[in-house]
Amino acid sequence: MKVTVFGTGYVGLVQGTVLADVGHDVTCIDIDAAKVSRLQAGDIPIHEPGLAPLVKDNQAAGRLRFSTDAAAGVAHGEVIFLAVGTPPDEDGSADLKHVLAVARTIAQHMDGPRTLVNKSTVPVGTADRVAAAVREVLQARGVQHAFDVVSNPEFLKEGAAVADCKRPDRIVIGTESPAAEARLRELYAPFNRNHDKIVVMDIRSAELTKYAANAMLATKISFMNEIANLAERLGADVEAVRRGIGSDPRIGYHFIYPGLGYGGSCFPKDVKALIHTARSADFSPELMLAVERRNEAQRRVLFERINAYYGGNLKGKVVALWGLAFKPNTDDMREAPSRTLMEALWEAGALVQAHDPVAMDEARRIYGERPDFMLAATPNAALEGADCLAIVTEWQTFRVPDFEQMAQLLKDRMVFDGRNLYDPALVTRHGLGYSSIGRAATKPV
């Protein structure tokens, strides 16, 4: 099928590339000429395992191309994806200006029937607004072309997006049009061979499904962090509690790891947008408000522990930081707990020596050069001259460190672990102090 994707951000780039990989003819459109030039040259602007070779292979095969020519994109695609950003507005609502602008652009260049697919995360009712925008432009042009607007939310995990796209758990299609449903079933047939993963529903339910999924996962994270805070006060070990409740198949082990709260480009934004949507419908979303409050508090836990350990005097202290990305296998630092921690440390007069396997360029882009921020080439280089260590991202490379060397390099031999990577007994056996989430802390010996 001939497919056009408007937007070469995280979702659009991955979705377009994977559709091309199964044989569809895909054109990706973006208004950012510099970004399109990079993509045409095979330079991928995001870190996502497996994506770069997939882009290169499908470009070479002629199934995937990148352009700024919107008119050519509309002419090309019988199915057109809207995969542009929906950043949070000041009131927490999703800003739809980019989505509606693309809808008007498509309508301006339509020369026949089209199926428009909302892939962006958008509030309930957006499909109606997209349809109205298209009708308005067509009417102004004095032409009539049949079109459908379909809701097809994405469920990609950063760091595993290519795999998620190739082997989706479910494919949600929101439409009342049998023709549009048939078209999307044909499009996704290569991903639907093992068993039927397609879930068809009305458009508004599909739009809500995306927010409900992310809100449920955010709720699990905030719940576990609340239990972790309680466990510390009761003398319990939250890791034992986690294993105990995770063994219940009704609960499961996913998203019940205590830590520093959720971050990234989706959960914070989508929880805020769902709260705004609820309030707009004259409904008070008490649970979502509590989830957001717990997350905001949890993001400051590591700083509060470091600050308390040093008696509220961090001026001149050097803190080694392992992990900058909001999660492993990505360079995304949007809403990352590392940012909350570093900014609080800097405000208190501390210096930060940070290492991350892939996100250091992104950190440099965000913060630039500053005297209280050093990026270290290796994890151990970050420890040199540092008073203590803070672990913020659970990268695989941090899981089996040399504790003896750590104890020699850290002046105060203190580790603040925001991801519960280590067995406390193992850490303390090397003379290190250890403070983690939901478990008893120990002092250096």
Side-chain angles (χ1 to χ4, degrees), residues 15-169:
Q15 183 68 74
T17 301
V18 171
L19 286 172
D21 197 53
V22 297
H24 294 304
D25 185 0
V26 180
T27 295
C28 294
I29 303 294
D30 203 293
I31 61 172
D32 186 338
K35 186 178 185 183
V36 167
S37 294
R38 287 181 62 186
L39 288 165
Q40 289 171 338
D43 182 10
I44 309 304
I46 60 173
H47 177 86
E48 181 59 40
L51 181 59
L54 214 58
V55 170
K56 182 179 179 181
D57 290 349
N58 283 282
Q59 280 182 298
R63 292 187 298 266
L64 178 65
R65 63 197 65 81
F66 301 96
S67 174
T68 58
D69 190 342
V74 176
H76 170 82
E78 56 187 299
V79 175
I80 303 178
F81 282 88
L82 287 74
V84 293
T86 53
D89 219 330
E90 291 182 6
D91 60 0
S93 63
D95 186 344
L96 296 178
K97 65 183 177 185
H98 302 303
V99 171
L100 296 176
V102 168
R104 295 187 186 100
T105 297
I106 294 168
Q108 190 64 47
H109 298 292
M110 276 173 60
D111 58 0
R114 294 292 188 277
T115 301
L116 278 62
V117 182
N118 271 341
K119 200 70 179 177
S120 303
T121 300
V122 293
V124 175
T126 298
D128 294 337
R129 295 183 64 181
V130 168
V134 172
R135 281 193 297 269
E136 181 183 343
V137 173
L138 292 178
Q139 187 175 13
R141 289 176 59 198
V143 298
Q144 289 186 346
H145 296 302
F147 70 93
D148 290 303
V149 179
V150 177
S151 175
N152 176 220
E154 56 85 15
F155 300 99
L156 306 181
K157 299 185 295 292
E158 289 196 42
V162 172
D164 287 346
C165 212
K166 285 184 170 184
R167 293 177 290 279
D169 296 318

Side-chain angles (χ1 to χ4, degrees), residues 239 258-261 326 337 391-394 417-421 437:
E239 288 299 319
L260 300 176
F326 87 95
I391 301 171
V392 181
T393 313
E394 62 274 31
D417 183 358
R419 298 298 178 183
N420 289 7
L421 294 188
I437 307 297

Side-chain angles (χ1 to χ4, degrees), residues 260 321-330 336-338 355-357 390-396 398-399 417-419 421:
L260 300 176
L321 186 72
W322 282 3
L324 291 163
F326 87 95
K327 63 180 285 188
N329 300 318
T330 181
S338 65
H355 173 78
D356 187 284
I391 301 171
V392 181
T393 313
E394 62 274 31
W395 283 96
Q396 201 70 23
F398 300 152
R399 291 184 181 273
D417 183 358
R419 298 298 178 183
L421 294 188

